[in-house]
């Protein structure tokens, strides 16, 4: 706890405290009528220090507290509606360890229809004394306000204001209070073909008339209809009736919410909704009902130009059979394929092979299958016949955006190019640029202009602007034009970039300016108000009002972002639990309540609507044993869905090292802790990290962490500014009874950007798990890794195995590897694109980090590696594009095939000195071109083992095709292009 020690109590402080106590005597007689209006209400502050956030000021605990990050400071309690105030109680912890202190405080208020605060009590000094007034001060006030603000000017005991608990005593002012009751529906037992109407009663239980508003009716958490509610006098009621139409078979929680947009100011805004005790049950109507369950392709991962055939699984969920002959249709790109469906009995599934094939196109496409495409069958539901999924072709992820490089655009500025060794860590902008080139804008009117190749309504800009003089970043704008017309200012920031120091240890870097710098780039994104057609010239221009001293533009992503998805049936919105979009107030409690309700079976799914939702604490399961922050219990049996990663965005403003409450040093104060059977899709999680460990172990947090277990699937999640995007696995010693390693975990469509450490790490015995069709840029450690660590239950069983990294695009890791595997067996690295590593390999197999041994086979196949490898560790160690490093244990059974290694900084494939053997390495159908500062294949002097080359082509390598250094015990069988290995 900070700043508990304090100097002696001042005479002035004692006199003031005495006067306040005397002033309270008249209030005491009426205190019974007053209630604490602040408890549980939102609290915001001008700033907070360390782990002492504003939420601590009314959490009901005197052993937690808010402390501001300087003076003057203010703390505002939002009461929600006008109240007639009597007094404000300010408490500190009464423990004698807290010394006496005096704080200068002014009390202000703002009415519910006001815009400015007015003074309710003039500034005065208030003495806090644990032995005198039990560190509690009561300040009499008089007036009516909806927001109560305490403004602090001085504190003799700390550099910031301090409050353990604040109470606002008063009574509610006259206001309406709308409630809903008597919910029912007709027919009372409907089937899927019945039109349903929900009825209820709206009452004004308040002490003032209410204006006209509306009431929304939700089924399963989804708003399905609304009705108007006229003005109501105090105490008056009105019936409402909402037609909700036909509903599919199922059980639906029924709720109604009056005044859903909060246009009516009420004395109690927490009682506007009502849910029925029993659900609405819709029975299945007789008849057939076809739906598509899945689409399979052959081959599953086709190469460009391959002929691909498809099979569609069609299910009849109805009560009667469907005759043979209906059409099952599949569309992919501009190709339409049809299949004839056999007879399908009620409850049965038929696998329909569609005729013809599709010629695979680079990047992939969307597959859409439709059952009964020609509407031959009259079905119970005609809305569930279609199913869609993506297919990925070739290498890399099928990303939905087009990436355009600044050096290939039209520009007026300075082209930056890296040196031959792509020197890193010495404030080298070009080395940290995609393609090792970027454009610098120094003067007003300089620009970079990109020509789009597809329709676009969004932009991501990878950029660098200067740090603030004292560190911590600064903000600036750059002007975006489309075909010469001004579109908007794009906000840029250097808050999350600029790490300083000469050490290669990330924990030794600092945010304080001085000497060499690295991690120079960050990204900004903007959703535009319209779609711009292909061929649009997007110009990023430095105008007179764009005031950073320089701008460096590396690339942009242009994307056509779809409209927000609709709330799925069965999902309940976090707004039902009190979350409010875009208001800047912490929504953690509401999100946690929704997730807990889903975990407890009260709702089927959590819906995060479009909007920005502030989250300042990790979502997890409350541990009844209270084993502390280092022993967390994750969520399980939870489904969380959003409206799309561009639309449903969770964000934090508090760096993890400044957050209170749940804040595991590595795992932070945002995102989700997962134990098992959790599905999360179509959201963004934006952290607030600025460093990895330096400046006092200031970790950046982990967006998704935990044991992960079985049946966990994460898709289409955008993660930025975390220490780690995903860490799958916990040590066995962390609550052994919950040991549950990741098994069959799936990640698809991930977008991980600008981290301080790993992108996704499969640790602690994770097995049978996949990262597929995902993109990673600017990670601060391995973008993807399998770490078969020893911190498991049984080291003979709990080994990282059968994990797969397929069809991912990895760019610009600013520290460590594109993909790394540390121990385990039968892991695969296939069909990935990796480019522009700063200092380490594109792909590394290693036995450092003390893993369990390698065994079985490790496959590295069909990858494209461009401008990878580098020098690190005081620039004394040079790494190849693919490096095998048996530091202490052997690395057997490796196959490297069907791979292009282009423009490596040092060697193409490197067998590194270490204590272990590299036995039976197969290198087949591999092209290595232009190893700039090394050889095509290098066996270092201390390397031991053997490799066999088949159909290997090596060209334009500075030090030759194959180089075996003197003293090496490594042998190479076969030679590229008829050449022989050099010794």
């Amino acid at each position: 706890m900070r700043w508990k020690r304090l100097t002696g109590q001042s005479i002035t402080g004692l006199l003031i405290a005495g006067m306040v106590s005397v002033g309270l005597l008249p209030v005491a007689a009426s205190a019974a009528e007053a209630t604490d209006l602040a408890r549980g209400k939102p609290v915001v502050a001008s700033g907070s220090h360390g782990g002492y956030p504003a939420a601590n000021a009314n959490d009901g605990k005197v052993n937690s507290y808010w402390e501001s990050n300087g003076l003057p400071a203010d703390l505002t309690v939002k009461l929600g509606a006008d109240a007639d105030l009597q007094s404000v109680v300010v408490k500190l912890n009464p423990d004698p360890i807290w010394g006496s202190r005096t704080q200068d405080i002014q009390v202000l208020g703002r009415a519910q229809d006001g815009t400015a605060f007015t003074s309710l009590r003039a500034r005065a000094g208030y003495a806090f004394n644990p032995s005198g007034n039990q560190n509690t001060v009561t300040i009499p006030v008089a007036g009516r306000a909806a927001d109560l603000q305490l403004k602090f000017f001085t504190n003799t005991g700390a550099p910031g204001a301090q409050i353990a608990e604040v109470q606002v005593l008063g009574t509610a002012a006259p206001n309406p209070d709308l409630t809903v009751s008597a919910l029912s529906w007709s027919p009372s037992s409907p089937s899927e073909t019945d039109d349903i109407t929900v009825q209820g009663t709206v009452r004004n239980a308040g002490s003032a008339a209410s204006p006209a508003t509306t009431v929304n009716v939700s089924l399963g958490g989804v708003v399905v209809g609304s009705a108007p509610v006229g003005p109501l006098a105090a105490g008056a009621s009105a019936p409402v009736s909402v037609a909700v139409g036909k509903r599919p078979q199922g059980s639906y929680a029924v709720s109604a919410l009056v005044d859903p947009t909060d246009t009516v100011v009420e004395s109690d805004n927490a009682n506007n909704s009502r849910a029925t005790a029993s659900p609405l049950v819709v029975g299945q109507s007789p008849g057939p009902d076809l739906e598509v369950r899945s689409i399979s392709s052959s081959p599953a991962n086709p190469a460009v130009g391959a002929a691909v055939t498809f099979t569609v699984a069609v299910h009849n969920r109805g009560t009667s059979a469907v005759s043979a002959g209906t059409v099952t249709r599949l569309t992919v790109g501009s190709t339409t394929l049809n299949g004839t469906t056999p007879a399908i009995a009620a409850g049965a599934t038929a696998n329909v092979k569609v005729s013809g094939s599709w010629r695979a196109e680079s990047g992939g496409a969307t597959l859409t299958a439709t059952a009964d495409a020609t509407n031959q069958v009259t079905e119970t539901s005609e809305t569930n016949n279609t199913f869609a999924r993506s297919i990925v072709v070739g290498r890399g992820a099928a990303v939905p955006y087009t990436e355009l490089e600044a050096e290939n655009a039209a520009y007026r500025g300075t082209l930056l190019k890296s040196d031959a060794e792509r020197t890193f860590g010495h404030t080298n902008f070009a080395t940290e640029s995609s393609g090792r080139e970027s454009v610098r804008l120094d003067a007003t009117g300089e620009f970079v202009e990109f020509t789009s190749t597809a329709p676009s309504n969004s932009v991501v800009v990878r950029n660098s602007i200067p740090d603030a003089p004292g560190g911590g970043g600064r903000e600036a704008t750059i002007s975006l034009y489309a075909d010469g017309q001004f579109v908007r200012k794009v906000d840029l920031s250097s808050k999350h970039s600029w790490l300083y120091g000469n050490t290669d240890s990330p924990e030794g870097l600092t945010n304080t300016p001085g000497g060499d710098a690295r991690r120079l780039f960050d990204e900004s994104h903007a959703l535009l108000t319209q779609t711009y057609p292909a061929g649009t010239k997007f110009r990023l221009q430095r105008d007179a009002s764009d005031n950073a001293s320089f701008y460096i533009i590396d690339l942009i992503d242009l994307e056509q972002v779809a409209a927000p998805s609709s709330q799925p049936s069965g999902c309940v919105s976090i707004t039902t639990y009190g979350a409010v979009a875009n208001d800047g107030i912490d929504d953690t409690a509401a999100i946690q309540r929704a997730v807990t309700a889903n975990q407890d079976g009260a709702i089927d799914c959590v819906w995060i609507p479009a909007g920005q939702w502030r989250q300042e604490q990790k979502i997890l399961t409350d541990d009844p044993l209270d084993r502390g922050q280092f022993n967390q219990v994750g969520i399980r049996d939870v489904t969380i869905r959003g409206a799309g990663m561009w639309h449903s965005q969770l964000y934090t403003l508090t760096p993890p090292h400044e957050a209170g409450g749940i804040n595991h040093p590595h795992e932070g104060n945002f995102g989700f802790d997962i134990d098992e059977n959790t599905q999360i899709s179509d959201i963004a999680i934006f952290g607030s990290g600025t460093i990895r460990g330096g400046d006092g172990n200031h970790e950046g947090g982990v967006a998704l962490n935990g044991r992960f277990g079985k049946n966990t699937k994460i898709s289409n999640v955008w993660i930025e500014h975390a220490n780690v995007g995903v860490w799958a696995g916990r040590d066995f010693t962390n609550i052994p009874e919950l040991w549950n390693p990741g098994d069959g975990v799936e990640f698809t469509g991930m977008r991980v950007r600008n981290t301080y450490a790993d992108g996704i790490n499969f640790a602690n015995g994770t097995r049978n798990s996949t990262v597929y069709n995902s993109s990673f840029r600017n990670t601060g450690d391995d973008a993807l890794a399998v770490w078969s660590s020893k911190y498991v239950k049984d080291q003979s069983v709990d080994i990282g195995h059968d994990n797969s990294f397929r069809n991912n695009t990895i760019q610009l890791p600013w520290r460590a590897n594109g993909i790394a595997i540390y121990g385990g067996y039968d892991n695969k690295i296939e069909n990935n694109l990796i480019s522009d590593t700063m200092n380490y390999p594109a792909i590394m197999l290693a036995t450092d980090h003390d893993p369990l041994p390698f065994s079985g086979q490790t496959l590295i196949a069909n990858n494209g590696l461009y401008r990878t490898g580098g020098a690190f560790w005081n620039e004394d160690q040079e790494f190849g594009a693919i490096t095998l490093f048996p530091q202490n244990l052997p690395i057997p059974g490796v196959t490297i095939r069907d791979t292009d290694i282009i423009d490596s900084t040092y060697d193409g494939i490197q067998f590194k000195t270490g204590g272990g053997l590299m036995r039976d390495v197969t290198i087949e159908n591999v092209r290595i071109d232009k190893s700039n500062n090394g050889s095509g294949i290098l066996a270092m002097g201390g390397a031991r083992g053997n490799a066999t080359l088949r159909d290997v082509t090596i060209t334009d390598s500075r030090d030759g095709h194959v180089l075996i250094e003197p003293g090496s015990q490594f042998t190479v069988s076969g030679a590229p292009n008829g050449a022989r290995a050099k010794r």
Side-chain angles (χ1 to χ4, degrees):
M1 197 173 289
R2 300 181 67 256
W3 301 104
K4 298 181 200 172
R5 65 197 187 286
L6 275 173
T7 57
Q9 192 174 27
S10 70
I11 297 298
T12 304
L14 284 170
L15 291 173
I16 294 172
M19 289 187 288
V20 171
S21 298
V22 171
L24 275 176
L25 292 176
V27 179
S30 60
E33 303 172 12
T35 58
D36 178 13
L37 304 173
R39 185 67 184 274
K41 298 297 174 62
V43 185
V44 295
S46 57
S48 299
H49 175 81
Y52 311 98
N56 288 354
N58 69 336
D59 61 1
K61 305 176 203 173
V62 294
N63 59 353
S64 67
Y65 62 100
W66 164 69
E67 182 171 321
S68 70
N69 57 352
L71 290 166
D74 56 69
L75 182 123
T76 303
V77 183
K78 296 180 175 295
L79 305 177
D82 277 347
D84 292 320
L85 306 180
Q86 295 182 8
S87 62
V88 179
V89 180
V90 180
K91 298 182 179 182
L92 293 178
N93 192 332
D95 193 307
I97 195 173
W98 281 71
S100 301
R101 72 206 62 207
T102 298
Q103 300 191 76
D104 269 16
I105 306 172
Q106 180 187 12
V107 183
L108 304 97
R110 179 171 59 192
Q112 64 191 32
D113 56 355
T115 57
F117 283 93
T118 58
S119 182
L120 302 179
R121 192 79 178 185
R123 171 180 173 177
Y126 297 95
F128 294 81
N129 186 328
S131 61
N133 59 10
Q134 293 296 298
N135 263 349
T136 297
V137 165
T138 303
I139 306 172
V141 295
R144 180 173 289 181
D147 295 327
L148 189 285
Q149 185 176 89
L150 298 175
K151 188 175 289 292
F152 293 78
F153 299 92
T154 63
N155 183 355
T156 62
Q162 294 171 310
I163 297 178
E165 282 296 300
V166 60
Q167 298 174 331
V168 179
L169 302 180
T171 58
N175 266 310
D177 182 17
L178 298 172
T179 64
V180 181
S181 61
L183 288 179
S184 63
W185 51 85
S186 60
S188 58
S189 299
S191 70
E192 293 174 295
T193 55
D194 290 323
D195 287 310
I196 303 169
T197 300
V198 175
Q199 302 95 8
T201 298
V202 174
R203 179 173 182 265
N204 179 7
S207 54
S210 65
T213 183
T214 59
V215 62
N216 284 351
V217 168
S218 297
L219 299 183
V222 180
V223 176
V224 293
S226 62
V229 178
L232 291 174
S237 300
V240 291
S241 180
V242 178
V244 299
K246 299 178 177 65
R247 298 285 124 185
Q249 178 191 15
S251 179
Y252 299 88
V254 181
S255 62
L257 174 66
V258 65
D259 189 30
T261 57
D262 288 333
T263 56
V264 179
V265 178
E266 303 178 57
S267 57
D268 184 356
N269 207 39
N271 62 354
N272 287 24
S273 63
R274 174 63 59 91
T276 58
S278 300
L280 163 65
V281 178
V282 178
Q284 186 173 11
S285 294
D289 187 15
L290 296 176
E291 60 181 3
V292 176
R293 288 283 180 88
S294 65
I295 305 169
S296 59
S297 58
S298 180
N301 296 293
V304 176
V308 186
T309 59
F310 303 94
T311 300
V312 179
V314 180
H315 177 72
N316 180 6
R317 65 170 290 273
T319 61
S320 59
V322 174
S323 300
T326 63
V327 175
T328 297
R329 178 166 293 158
L330 183 137
T331 59
V332 50
S334 59
T335 301
T336 299
L337 306 173
N338 293 315
T340 302
T341 313
I344 308 177
T349 300
N351 290 316
V352 182
K353 186 172 179 60
V354 298
S355 60
S357 63
W358 169 68
R359 187 69 60 185
E361 300 171 359
S362 179
T366 298
L367 308 175
T368 304
T370 304
D372 189 29
T374 57
N375 292 318
Q376 293 174 245
V377 181
T378 302
E379 302 178 62
T380 300
S381 173
E382 299 286 355
T383 63
N384 60 350
N385 289 24
T386 299
F387 175 87
R389 75 167 180 85
S390 61
I391 184 171
V392 181
V393 177
R395 296 171 178 164
V399 295
Y401 52 82
T402 301
E403 186 175 296
L404 301 173
E405 297 278 355
E407 64 269 23
N408 297 328
Y411 62 85
R412 181 186 301 156
T414 303
L415 179 66
L416 305 181
K417 291 186 176 185
S418 66
D419 62 283
E421 294 186 344
R422 295 159 182 164
T423 308
F424 171 72
H426 301 286
T427 323
N428 294 75
F429 293 100
T431 291
E432 295 195 31
S433 299
S434 174
R436 312 290 183 169
E437 295 182 340
S438 53
V439 175
R440 178 175 175 131
L441 311 180
D442 286 306
T444 299
E446 292 188 334
F447 63 86
V448 182
E449 187 172 81
F450 307 84
T451 302
S452 68
T453 59
S456 312
N457 64 356
S458 70
V459 63
V460 173
V461 182
R462 187 169 194 265
N463 70 91
S464 181
I465 62 172
D467 196 2
R474 58 155 297 175
E475 280 68 46
T477 59
I478 195 165
S479 302
L480 176 66
Y481 292 81
D483 290 334
Q485 298 297 310
F486 177 77
V487 175
R488 59 168 291 169
K489 295 285 190 182
V490 178
D491 296 320
L492 312 181
S493 174
S494 54
K495 175 182 177 181
H496 301 284
S497 50
W498 292 93
L499 298 181
Y500 301 89
N502 294 320
T503 176
D504 290 320
S505 170
E507 288 76 15
L509 299 175
T510 176
N511 291 134
T512 303
D516 290 333
R518 67 193 72 193
R519 200 187 188 284
L520 305 171
F521 285 85
D522 202 57
E523 297 179 15
S524 298
H525 58 270
L527 194 59
L528 309 179
T529 58
Q530 69 181 76
T531 294
Y532 294 87
T536 298
K537 295 184 183 300
F538 287 102
R539 174 179 290 198
L540 291 169
Q541 180 168 292
R542 178 175 181 165
D543 287 347
S545 56
D546 302 323
N547 58 8
S549 60
F550 65 80
Y551 297 80
I552 298 173
I553 307 300
D554 183 24
L555 59 82
I556 66 169
D557 296 333
L558 296 175
E559 180 177 354
Q560 182 62 29
V561 178
S565 300
S566 299
Q567 184 171 344
S569 176
C571 285
V572 177
S573 174
I574 58 175
T575 59
T576 302
Y577 293 87
V580 179
N582 309 315
D583 67 346
I585 297 174
D586 189 6
D587 294 302
T588 302
I591 299 169
Q592 183 69 68
R593 285 193 292 268
V595 169
T596 300
N598 186 197
Q599 184 165 305
D600 292 344
I603 62 176
D604 293 333
C605 168
V606 176
W607 171 245
I608 301 180
Q612 291 188 322
W613 311 89
R614 186 173 175 185
Q615 179 197 353
E616 296 291 0
Q617 296 294 311
K618 182 81 71 178
I619 301 301
L620 36 62
T621 296
D622 185 46
D623 183 3
L625 300 180
D626 194 21
R627 283 168 283 205
Q629 63 177 352
F630 294 93
N631 295 277
Q632 295 177 16
V633 180
I635 61 177
R636 58 175 57 226
D637 306 320
V638 169
T639 299
I640 300 167
R641 300 180 66 180
M645 63 169 64
W646 276 88
H647 301 295
S648 299
Q649 298 185 343
L650 305 178
Y651 73 98
T652 172
L653 295 179
T654 308
H657 63 274
E658 294 182 6
I662 300 163
N663 180 23
H664 190 287
H666 294 288
E667 293 164 0
N669 59 314
F670 60 97
F672 299 85
D673 191 316
I674 299 169
D675 266 6
E676 187 170 54
N677 188 29
T678 294
Q679 292 79 49
I680 301 176
S681 59
D682 300 298
I683 64 171
I685 303 172
F686 294 152
S688 194
T690 61
I691 200 167
R692 175 186 170 182
D695 291 341
N697 199 30
H698 292 174
E699 295 280 7
V702 184
L704 301 173
N705 62 273
R707 298 171 181 86
F708 279 78
K710 295 184 178 180
N711 302 316
T712 292
K713 295 177 172 59
I714 313 295
S715 62
N716 303 325
V717 174
W718 185 350
I719 297 170
E720 283 207 49
H721 300 145
N723 199 50
V724 174
V726 178
W727 190 276
R730 281 195 185 280
D731 294 356
F732 171 68
T733 55
N734 184 284
I735 314 182
E737 61 269 28
L738 295 181
W739 168 251
N740 193 25
D743 190 347
V745 181
E746 296 180 8
F747 292 91
T748 59
M750 302 294 289
R751 191 177 299 189
V752 179
R753 302 282 189 270
N754 305 306
T755 64
Y756 299 91
D758 302 68
I760 298 178
N761 193 307
F762 287 163
N764 300 83
T766 300
R767 73 288 305 264
N768 305 310
S769 297
T770 304
V771 180
Y772 171 69
N773 195 31
S774 297
S775 64
F776 302 80
R777 193 156 63 208
N778 207 35
T779 57
D781 217 309
D782 304 325
L784 292 170
V786 174
W787 181 29
S788 188
S789 64
K790 293 180 178 178
Y791 313 120
V792 295
K793 182 178 182 181
D794 185 342
Q795 293 184 8
S796 66
V797 174
D798 298 317
I799 302 170
H801 67 85
D802 289 286
N803 298 297
S804 178
F805 300 136
R806 292 187 294 113
N807 286 99
N808 302 294
T809 296
I810 296 168
Q811 301 168 280
L812 296 152
W814 65 269
R815 189 179 187 279
N817 308 280
I819 300 177
I821 296 180
Y822 307 101
Y825 65 88
D826 295 348
N827 296 297
K828 300 177 178 64
I829 302 170
E830 300 179 276
N831 307 343
N832 302 285
L833 287 176
I834 307 174
S835 61
D836 297 311
T837 59
M838 299 296 136
N839 44 50
Y840 253 53
I843 297 173
M844 188 176 197
L845 309 184
T847 58
D848 56 348
H849 305 301
D850 194 26
L852 295 170
F854 278 92
S855 61
Q857 298 291 311
T858 302
L859 177 64
I860 302 172
N862 196 35
N863 300 288
L865 315 179
Y866 299 88
R867 300 174 301 278
T868 58
F872 208 48
W873 302 117
N874 197 35
E875 300 172 22
D876 291 332
Q877 295 191 39
E878 298 168 355
F879 292 93
I882 297 178
T883 296
L884 275 60
F885 178 32
Q887 184 186 48
N888 43 32
L889 297 172
I891 303 179
V894 177
T895 296
I896 303 170
R897 61 171 172 82
D898 307 326
T899 290
D900 293 306
I901 304 173
I902 310 299
D903 198 9
S904 302
T905 305
Y906 290 97
D907 309 299
I909 299 175
Q910 182 185 91
F911 299 100
K912 201 169 182 63
T913 296
L917 286 169
M918 294 166 278
R919 300 191 310 269
D920 304 325
V921 178
T922 299
I923 305 175
E924 183 176 7
N925 190 29
V926 170
R927 180 170 68 103
I928 303 173
D929 179 58
K930 197 179 181 184
S931 297
N932 287 278
N933 303 290
S935 50
I937 298 174
L938 170 68
M940 297 178 68
R944 299 189 300 138
N946 66 289
T948 300
L949 309 186
R950 301 189 187 98
D951 192 21
V952 174
T953 301
I954 302 176
T955 54
D956 198 17
S957 295
R958 188 194 69 177
D959 296 338
H961 296 336
V962 179
L963 176 60
I964 300 175
E965 291 184 341
S968 176
Q969 300 177 48
F970 196 90
T971 61
V972 175
S973 301
N977 296 330
R980 296 169 59 184
K982 293 183 180 180
R983 287 187 179 270

